[in-house]
Each structure stands twice: as structure tokens, then as C-alpha cells.
């Protein structure tokens, strides 16, 4: 499969321990060399800066625009809980450039003190020794404990009985709606929330789309997916997990999957965008436009679009993604804090980093303004959070989130998501039969599994 990462070099032969370095050592060395060639001087300078300023916690993140400004506000609010500490942010380009630079810097031991990483990418970092584990006892000293997080999120932070990520948020794939057409369509509860029972089967979901189309006088449900590298996968994987199934992905083996359930989900997706009540060939920007200008009554989208949608409709409604196939499951990811590897970390500075991250988590009410669900649940249990509209309407999604499969080649911005979306688009756009699409996805997954894991 050309759009997945290519094969790695062969592992050292058994018995070659003296003559050949370990695979992990080779990877670290090669990534460190690449870092030197691709701006290694800047990375070296960063390392020196950390050593010369013990009061500054250096952070790499991928938040620009409104989210970046909100993170600055969050850090300012958290300041009283980390006295004497400054947080110095470096914003890098999202996607492959970010994760490549993070890997190279971590391999050379010259990364920042802390970095933001999608939880779904953790399987490509922790097993390679590119991250250091968090001291959960130290976090607890600063008021952050495992019990403060949803089990569905926290279980993905672990590798070999150690914690390698501290989640900042959960950002699920949900539904947004305009309240007036939803009310006319009879899809609201007495308190103004979305009646999720009206979407509790494929047939009911499609009928709700038709009712919304009649209420708007135009279209029902928008979904932007054409030429998108992740949207089809987000919708598919959440729905597939609702069937009670998952993928068993043994690296070096072959996937175990329920292709009948996969085909059932793909068939529903095809009908959803093929229904005359719903717009068909929408790319991502077109879907946003059709919803913000009122042409459609509902949109399937990530909560990260809250600001855009609320600017167009101050009365905007939202809800957790409906349970269509019986088992509650909501596709999501989580922005998380990780500790790039340091060969000899300064313990006092590590303590300061733990304190800073704990303080930021406890100020999570500010982060909720962007639509993200704060992962630190004491925030979401407050009266102030309960008054947030529409964020409080979909906070329960955090209890049922499903992230990408925990394998090294999957996760946010990965070629794997793109490969799966390409097949799904063939079904939605070009008429590829659902059963054939399911088999094609399995074939691509097996191709990925056949490639040697860097770990």
C-alpha cells in the first residue's frame, strides 16, 4: 500500500548483540542524525535554553489561531498554581511535520520539557523509547489522579504499566444542529436537547434527516468528506465500534474483523449521503458552509468547529453522536501532554513540569470554550461547566470515546486514516459495493500490519 509508511530496516540477527546496536538504538541514532541535518542547531539551542533557565517550562504544541490564544489564556489562569514558573510555548505546524520533529528531537534527547501529542499517536512513540513516563505520584501531589479521568481516556495513556500521556481534553466527533428546524422536525426533548432516540437505528437516522430537510425547506444532514483524509474514517470507526466489534491488529499478523458489520456500516454511510434529503458530494469547507448558512439543519462534525458554528447561530445546539448500532461509542481523540525523552532529566525541573501540567489541567474550564471536553473531570462536574451551552450537552461523549486502534501506524494525521478514507470514499462517491469496500479496507490493514514495527 503505497500511502502507508514503507518497510523498516531488518532487525539485528540473534546473537549479534555486541557487534550490532539495538533496533531502538539505531532508530534513535538515525533520527538524531536527521535532526542535525534538518535544523539540529536549533534543537541544540533549545536544549541549552532549558538548561540555562530553570524557571521556564518549555512546551511544544500545535495550537495556532483561536486555540493558541485560548491556551495562552489557560496558562495565565493556571499561573497561581505554579508559582515562579513560566511556560514558554513553541507552536509548530500540525500533522506530519510536527510529529516528525517531535520524534527527532526526542531521539536526540533535545526536545522540550513537555509537548502536546494526540493520544492516538502514543503507540508510535512510547514503545520506541522516545518518551519518558510521568510520575503519577508526583501528579497526585499536585492534585491530579487517575480517578479524575474517564476510564475510556485514561486506559490509552498506559504502556507497560507506566503512564506516558496526561490528557488535556477529549475532542469527539459529534452532531451540531440548528434548534429551530430541529424543533419543527420534532427532534428535541422538553429541555431543548436533541432526542437521540430519534436517531437510534439506521432507518430512524435517515428518517430524521428527511424531517430536518422538510423543516429547513432545503436539506437535512451535512457531512463533508470528499477528498478529506480523515472524515470518512472518523464516521466509520465510531459506527463500527457501535456494532460491538473492533479490529484485532497483531503486528506481523493479519487483522481479525467482522466484515459483515463493516459492510453494514458502509451501507448506512452510503445511504446517508445518498439520501435526497441530505447533500451528497460535499467536501469539508462546503459542508461547513451549508450548515452555517442554514441550508442544512444538522452537521456531523468534530466539536472543534464549535466557534465557527456558534458565530453563525448563537442558539446552536449540539449532542453526543447518537448510538445507531446498539453499543454506545463515539469516535474521538485527545490532546495530551507527553515528556520527550531526556537521558538525564533534572529532577527539580521535572517536578516543576509536573506542577505546571497539573495547574493547566485544573484550569480546564477555559479550554472548554473551544468546545473541547476537559479531560480532568473535576472541571466538568462543576456548576459553571453545567451552564455551558452547548458543551454540557455532549460532555457524556467522554465516557464512550473510542480512539484509533493502538498500533504504531494509526492515529491523528496518519497515512492509515487517509488510506481507510480513500476506500470509503470509493463506496460513497463511486458506488463500490459495501462488502467489496470492507474487504479492500481489510487488505490495506493487512498491508500495514505486514510492515515491521519500529519497536
Amino acid at each position: 500500500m503505497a500511502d502507508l509508511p514503507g518497510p523498516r530496516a531488518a532487525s539485528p540477527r540473534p546473537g549479534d548483540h555486541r557487534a550490532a546496536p539495538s533496533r531502538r538504538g539505531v532508530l534513535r541514532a538515525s533520527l538524531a542524525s536527521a535532526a542535525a541535518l534538518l535544523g539540529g542547531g536549533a534543537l541544540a539551542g533549545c536544549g541549552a535554553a532549558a538548561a540555562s533557565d530553570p524557571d521556564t517550562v518549555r512546551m511544544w504544541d500545535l495550537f495556532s489561531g483561536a486555540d493558541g490564544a485560548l491556551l495562552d489564556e489557560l496558562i495565565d489562569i493556571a499561573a497561581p498554581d505554579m508559582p515562579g514558573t513560566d511556560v514558554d510555548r513553541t507552536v509548530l505546524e500540525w500533522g506530519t511535520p510536527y510529529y516528525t520533529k517531535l520524534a527527532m528531537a526526542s531521539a536526540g534527547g533535545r526536545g522540550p520539557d513537555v509537548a502536546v501529542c494526540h493520544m492516538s499517536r502514543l503507540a508510535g512513540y512510547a514503545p520506541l523509547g522516545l518518551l519518558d513516563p510521568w510520575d503519577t505520584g508526583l501528579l497526585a501531589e499536585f492534585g491530579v489522579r487517575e480517578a479524575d479521568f474517564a476510564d475510556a481516556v485514561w486506559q490509552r495513556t498506559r504502556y507497560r504499566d507506566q503512564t506516558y500521556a496526561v490528557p488535556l481534553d477529549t475532542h469527539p466527533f459529534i452532531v451540531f444542529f440548528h434548534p429551530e428546524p430541529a424543533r419543527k422536525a420534532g427532534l428535541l426533548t422538553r429541555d431543548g436537547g436533541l432526542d437521540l432516540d430519534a436517531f437510534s437505528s439506521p432507518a430512524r437516522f435517515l428518517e430524521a434527516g428527511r424531517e430536518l430537510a422538510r423543516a429547513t425547506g432545503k436539506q437535512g444532514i451535512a457531512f463533508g468528506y470528499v477528498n478529506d483524509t480523515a472524515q470518512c474514517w472518523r464516521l466509520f470507526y465510531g459506527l463500527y465500534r457501535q456494532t460491538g466489534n473492533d479490529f484485532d491488529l497483531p503486528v506481523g499478523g493479519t487483522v481479525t474483523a467482522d466484515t459483515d458489520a463493516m459492510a453494514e456500516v458502509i451501507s448506512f454511510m452510503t445511504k446517508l449521503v445518498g439520501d435526497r434529503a441530505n447533500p451528497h458530494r460535499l467536501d469539508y469547507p462546503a459542508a461547513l458552509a451549508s450548515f452555517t448558512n442554514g441550508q442544512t439543519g444538522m452537521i456531523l462534525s468534530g466539536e472543534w468547529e464549535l466557534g465557527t458554528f456558534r458565530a453563525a447561530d448563537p442558539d446552536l445546539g449540539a449532542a453526543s453522536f447518537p448510538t445507531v448500532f446498539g453499543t454506545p461509542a463515539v469516535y474521538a481523540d485527545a490532546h495530551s501532554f507527553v515528556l520527550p525523552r531526556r537521558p538525564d532529566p533534572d529532577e527539580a525541573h521535572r517536578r516543576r513540569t509536573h506542577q505546571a501540567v497539573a495547574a493547566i489541567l485544573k484550569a480546564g474550564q477555559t479550554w472548554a470554550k473551544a468546545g473541547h471536553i476537559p479531560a480532568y473531570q473535576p472541571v466538568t462536574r462543576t456548576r459553571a461547566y453545567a451552564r455551558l451551552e452547548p458543551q454540557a450537552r455532549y460532555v457524556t461523549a467522554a465516557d464512550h470515546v473510542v480512539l484509533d486502534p493502538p498500533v504504531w501506524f494509526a492515529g491523528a494525521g496518519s497515512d492509515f486514516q487517509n488510506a481507510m478514507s480513500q476506500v470509503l470514499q470509493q463506496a460513497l462517491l463511486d458506488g463500490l459495493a459495501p462488502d467489496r469496500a470492507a474487504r479492500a479496507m481489510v487488505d490495506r490493514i493487512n498491508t500495514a500490519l505486514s510492515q515491521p514495527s519500529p519497536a
Side-chain angles (χ1 to χ4, degrees):
M1 184 168 64
D3 50 359
L4 282 171
R8 268 42 175 190
S11 301
R13 291 174 296 172
D16 286 350
H17 304 299
R18 294 184 184 179
S22 69
R23 184 183 193 83
R24 182 175 294 176
V26 170
L27 180 68
R28 284 179 181 162
S30 62
L31 287 177
S33 297
L37 292 172
L38 299 175
L43 294 176
C46 288
S52 63
D53 190 354
D55 296 336
T56 297
V57 172
R58 294 172 43 256
M59 177 190 298
W60 285 6
D61 67 72
L62 37 74
F63 300 119
S64 58
D67 275 2
L70 201 60
L71 183 57
D72 285 336
E73 182 182 346
L74 180 61
I75 291 170
D76 288 342
I77 292 173
D81 281 341
M82 47 176 171
T85 297
D86 292 322
V87 176
D88 180 22
R89 293 178 56 212
T90 297
V91 182
L92 301 174
E93 182 183 355
W94 142 250
T96 299
Y98 179 82
Y99 285 108
T100 299
K101 189 167 186 178
L102 178 60
M104 291 191 297
S106 299
R110 297 182 180 276
D113 299 310
V114 64
V116 172
C117 176
H118 284 86
M119 189 82 77
S120 61
R121 298 296 293 251
L122 195 64
Y125 283 76
L128 295 179
L130 296 175
L131 304 176
D132 287 337
W134 289 89
D135 184 334
T136 54
L138 191 53
L139 287 172
E141 181 181 332
F142 294 120
V144 174
R145 301 168 179 83
E146 176 182 347
D148 296 324
F149 301 85
D151 288 343
V153 178
W154 188 261
Q155 65 183 0
R156 291 295 295 267
T157 70
R158 308 280 289 171
Y159 174 69
R160 291 187 176 176
D161 298 325
Q162 291 185 297
T163 299
Y164 281 89
V166 177
L168 169 64
D169 63 38
T170 302
H171 44 280
F173 192 75
I174 63 173
V175 296
F176 290 99
F177 60 91
H178 295 300
E180 185 57 22
R183 182 190 62 78
K184 289 182 180 178
L187 299 175
L188 297 186
T189 58
R190 288 185 177 181
D191 68 351
L194 190 67
D195 181 5
L196 295 178
D197 286 342
F199 298 81
S200 59
S201 72
R204 298 194 76 181
F205 202 113
L206 295 173
E207 180 56 30
R210 298 183 194 110
E211 290 296 332
L212 281 168
R214 283 189 280 270
T216 63
K218 295 176 182 176
Q219 298 167 333
I221 302 173
F223 174 55
Y225 65 95
V226 178
N227 294 328
D228 191 273
T229 59
Q231 282 286 86
C232 276
W233 169 250
R234 290 170 179 148
L235 180 57
F236 167 83
Y237 191 58
L239 291 171
Y240 178 64
R241 292 295 301 273
Q242 289 187 4
T243 68
N245 292 285
D246 197 0
F247 296 129
D248 181 21
L249 301 171
V251 175
T254 58
V255 61
T256 298
D258 188 329
T259 53
D260 289 338
M262 293 174 66
E264 183 180 10
V265 168
I266 296 168
S267 177
F268 167 63
M269 292 173 62
T270 302
K271 292 173 183 175
L272 180 65
V273 299
D275 193 299
R276 286 184 295 176
N278 305 327
H280 181 29
R281 296 176 176 268
L282 291 181
D283 60 19
Y284 194 92
L288 299 189
S290 73
F291 182 70
T292 55
N293 66 22
Q295 283 188 313
T296 54
M298 176 179 286
I299 188 169
L300 315 182
S301 185
E303 51 71 34
W304 50 86
E305 296 294 353
L306 173 63
T308 298
F309 296 152
R310 190 157 50 190
D313 182 359
D315 297 323
L316 178 74
S320 179
F321 201 94
T323 301
V324 185
F325 288 98
T327 302
V330 180
Y331 181 85
D333 210 329
H335 295 118
S336 304
F337 294 111
V338 296
L339 297 172
R341 186 183 74 89
R342 287 284 177 82
D344 298 298
D346 179 272
E347 294 305 319
H349 201 72
R350 272 286 164 89
R351 179 181 179 85
R352 187 182 293 275
T353 301
H354 280 65
Q355 183 182 33
V357 167
I360 290 170
L361 294 180
K362 288 186 282 186
Q365 177 81 10
T366 297
W367 193 238
K369 295 178 184 178
H372 313 313
I373 302 174
Y376 183 67
Q377 290 192 319
V379 171
T380 62
R381 294 171 182 151
T382 63
R383 291 183 180 179
Y385 191 88
R387 291 192 293 268
L388 286 178
E389 286 286 351
Q391 292 95 316
R393 299 281 187 175
Y394 58 82
V395 67
T396 56
D399 296 325
H400 305 292
V401 297
V402 292
L403 281 69
D404 271 23
V407 288
W408 66 272
F409 52 79
S414 64
D415 289 333
F416 172 77
Q417 288 188 346
N418 187 28
M420 296 297 100
S421 293
Q422 287 176 1
V423 176
L424 291 165
Q425 286 184 58
Q426 290 180 46
L428 273 56
L429 286 171
D430 303 327
L432 180 66
D435 59 334
R436 292 184 59 194
R439 291 195 298 271
M441 291 175 72
V442 166
D443 287 344
R444 291 197 173 200
I445 294 171
N446 283 334
T447 299
L449 288 171
S450 70
Q451 299 175 10
S453 166

